[in-house]
Amino acid sequence: MTAPPGGDRRPLGVVGPAPDWGGPLEVGGVRLATPVMAASGTFGFGTEVPLCDRRALGGMVCKGIFLEPRGGAPPPRIVETPSGMLNAIGLQGPGVEAVIRDYAPLWATWPFPVLVNLNGETVEEYAELAARLDGVPGVSGLEVNISCPNVHRGGMLFGHDPEPAAAVTAAVRARTRLPVWVKLTPATGDIAAVARACEEAGADALCAVNAFVGMALDVRTGQPRLGFRTGGLSGPAIRPLAVYLAHRVAQAVRIPVIGIGGITCAEDAMEFLLAGCRAVQVGTATFVDPNAIGKVVAGLRRRFSEGARPAAEAPTGGGRRRRPVRAIAGGRVVE
Ligand SMILES: Cc1cc2nc3c(=O)[nH]c(=O)nc-3n(C[C@H](O)[C@H](O)[C@H](O)COP(=O)(O)O)c2cc1C
C-alpha cells in the first residue's frame, strides 16, 4: 500500500500517560513520584543519587543482579560512539544477599521507589531471585531483564521469542507479590508478540527497550574495541528505533509501557509519552549530566503547565487490542 502524500497522519492509536502532576502516579503497581525514572545500570545501586536532584526522580531501577556475585566482562567496557555509547559491563554485581543487606534498608528510607533488575541463566534462577526479594522492605518492584546483550547465557536469549519470555515472566510472577515489570530486547523479530506473551504470563508493565547489540573495531589493531567484543548501544543514536518499538509494544498490550532509549530532554520524553508510554527511564544521558533527569522533569512540568498534553487518541484498529478512549478535560483524565 502506498502511503498518502505527506505520510500517514492517522492517529497513533494509543493512549498517552496523562500524568497527574499534582501527585505521584501509579504505573504497573508501582507508585512513581514523577514519570521519569533512572534506568538500570546507569545509577548503580543509588549511591550516586545525592549527585542529582532526587526530588525529580520518579523512581530508580538498580543495576542488574544475579543470585550470586559476578565479576562481569573484561575491560575495556565502554566505547563512545556518534550520539551514544557501547557498553559491555556484563552484569557485574554483588548478588542478591548483598542487595538485601546493604542497599534495600537504604532504599526503604528514600521518597521514591526502587525496582531491582533481575537476571538469571535459567528460568529457575529468575524465580529464586524473585522469591528472595519478595517482602524485602525497600524493594518496590522487580524489573525482569530478559534483554541484556552482554552475557553468554540467559539475558536477551530469553527475550528473543514469546515462549521463553513468557516462561521467565510466569516463573517470577508465581514466586512474588511484588509488581513485575519485564524489560524487552529490541533483538527480536516481533516485539509485539513477545510483549503479549509477557502480559499473558502475568507482567504488570513492560519496559521498552534495552540497548541494541553493536560492535566497534580498532582499525589499527583490527580488534574489537570492547573486551566482550560486542556491546549494547544506547544514547540518542537509538531513540527513533526505541520510540518505534515502544509504540509497537504500547499498541499490542493493555498493561503500561515504560519507554527507554536515548532520552536527553523533555521533548525526547514527550515522544515516548506520545507513542503510548506511561512513564520513561533515562540512562546514558545521566553520564553526560548527572542532573539530566531533573532537567527532563522540569521541562515536562513546564510543558504540562503550559497546557501541553500527550494526545489522547482514538484507537485506529491498527493495534491488536483496543483500549478505552481517554480524553483530558480540565487536567483530569475522563474515559
Ligand atoms: C553502562 C550501562 C549499563 C547498563 N546496565 C543495565 C543492566 O544492568 N540492566 C538492564 O536492564 N539494562 C542495563 N542498561 C540498559 C539501560 O537501562 C537502557 O535500557 C539503555 O541504556 C537505553 O537507554 P538510554 O539510551 O537512556 O541509556 C545499561 C546501560 C548502560 C549504558
Side-chain angles (χ1 to χ4, degrees):
M1 201 176 89
T2 321
D8 186 344
R9 295 284 170 191
R10 288 175 306 167
L12 288 174
V14 291
V15 179
D20 175 2
W21 291 94
L25 61 160
E26 204 268 356
V27 176
V30 181
R31 212 170 146 77
L32 299 181
T34 74
V36 188
M37 305 174 67
S40 177
T42 60
F43 248 64
F45 294 92
T47 45
E48 297 85 349
V49 163
L51 292 175
C52 72
D53 180 359
R54 59 168 71 197
R55 288 166 308 177
L57 277 178
M60 187 196 111
V61 187
C62 79
K63 174 68 188 164
I65 60 157
F66 282 84
L67 277 171
E68 302 299 332
R70 276 171 70 103
R77 289 173 161 189
I78 285 189
V79 169
E80 199 168 336
T81 63
S83 291
M85 65 189 256
L86 278 170
N87 91 81
I89 310 298
L91 292 171
Q92 177 177 343
V96 70
E97 285 315 316
V99 165
I100 293 171
R101 186 187 62 233
D102 301 336
Y103 296 115
L106 192 63
W107 300 339
T109 67
W110 288 353
F112 51 83
V114 180
L115 284 80
V116 175
N117 187 269
L118 295 195
N119 296 268
E121 292 187 356
T122 63
V123 172
E124 293 70 34
E125 280 179 29
Y126 281 97
E128 180 60 23
L129 257 180
R132 300 269 271 274
L133 291 164
D134 186 46
V136 172
V139 177
S140 296
L142 306 176
E143 186 183 69
V144 183
N145 185 1
I146 52 167
S147 46
C148 180
N150 302 326
V151 286
H152 290 300
R153 284 185 295 276
M156 74 179 183
L157 299 179
F158 285 112
H160 285 318
D161 296 303
E163 238 173 76
V168 174
T169 308
V172 168
R173 176 75 289 161
R175 301 287 298 279
T176 186
R177 289 157 297 174
L178 285 166
V180 174
W181 296 7
V182 181
K183 187 162 176 183
L184 303 178
T185 174
T188 169
D190 187 352
I191 200 167
V194 176
R196 282 194 292 269
C198 295
E199 179 182 46
E200 278 154 23
D204 296 300
L206 299 173
C207 304
V209 285
N210 209 317
F212 289 70
V213 180
M215 191 179 197
L217 299 176
D218 184 332
V219 292
R220 286 161 306 177
T221 63
Q223 291 300 309
R225 293 177 66 194
L226 287 168
F228 191 71
R229 302 178 75 83
T230 56
L233 182 65
S234 62
I238 69 169
R239 193 171 57 248
L241 302 165
V243 169
Y244 166 64
L245 291 171
H247 178 57
R248 286 207 57 202
V249 172
Q251 279 190 308
V253 297
R254 288 199 180 92
I255 53 178
V257 178
I258 294 92
I260 319 171
I263 296 172
T264 62
C265 62
E267 205 158 289
D268 300 344
M270 284 292 281
E271 280 197 63
F272 282 92
L273 301 182
L274 283 165
C277 298
R278 302 276 301 171
V280 295
Q281 293 180 9
V282 176
T284 301
T286 58
F287 291 7
V288 180
D289 176 358
N291 227 3
I293 291 175
K295 288 178 184 162
V296 172
V297 170
L300 282 179
R301 278 195 203 284
R302 207 162 37 246
R303 287 171 158 267
F304 275 68
S305 69
E306 285 163 3
R309 291 287 187 280
E313 300 178 86
T316 58
R320 195 177 73 111
R321 296 180 181 199
R322 293 174 180 232
R323 296 190 225 189
V325 181
R326 289 181 179 186
I328 312 292
R332 294 168 60 86
V333 182
V334 292
E335 305 217 356

